[in-house]
Amino acid sequence: MSGRQGGKAKPLKQKKKQQHDDDPEEAAFKEKQRQDAAAKKAFLANVKSGKPLVGGGIKKSGKK
């Protein structure tokens, strides 16, 4: 048996946080996701407030 049978056990050591460099593609992807989320939030706000989804009105064809 080991000499440490009773008492408080030592906490496990935490790993040090590594500073990782994001590559430009990953940064661009994250920025695009942020912009998409903002656009979706704005769209949902417009839907809840009762604004029309498209602002073009009635489109008329050129045929008579």
Side-chain angles (χ1 to χ4, degrees):
M1 292 235 161
S2 67
R4 248 193 234 211
Q5 293 178 354
K8 189 174 181 182
K10 284 188 174 180
L12 297 174
K13 290 186 179 180
Q14 298 291 325
K15 291 184 179 179
K16 291 183 180 179
K17 291 185 180 179
Q18 295 179 359
Q19 293 181 348
H20 57 289
D21 296 328
D22 291 336
D23 57 308
E25 291 178 2
E26 189 172 334
F29 176 71
K30 286 182 181 180
E31 181 63 30
K32 185 176 185 308
Q33 279 190 327
R34 242 181 261 122
Q35 289 175 350
D36 289 344
K40 185 177 180 181
K41 187 176 180 182
F43 173 75
L44 290 176
N46 286 342
V47 169
K48 286 183 181 178
S49 67
K51 292 185 180 178
L53 300 180
V54 290
I58 300 174
K59 290 188 177 181
K60 296 182 180 179
S61 66
K63 297 179 184 177
K64 286 191 175 182

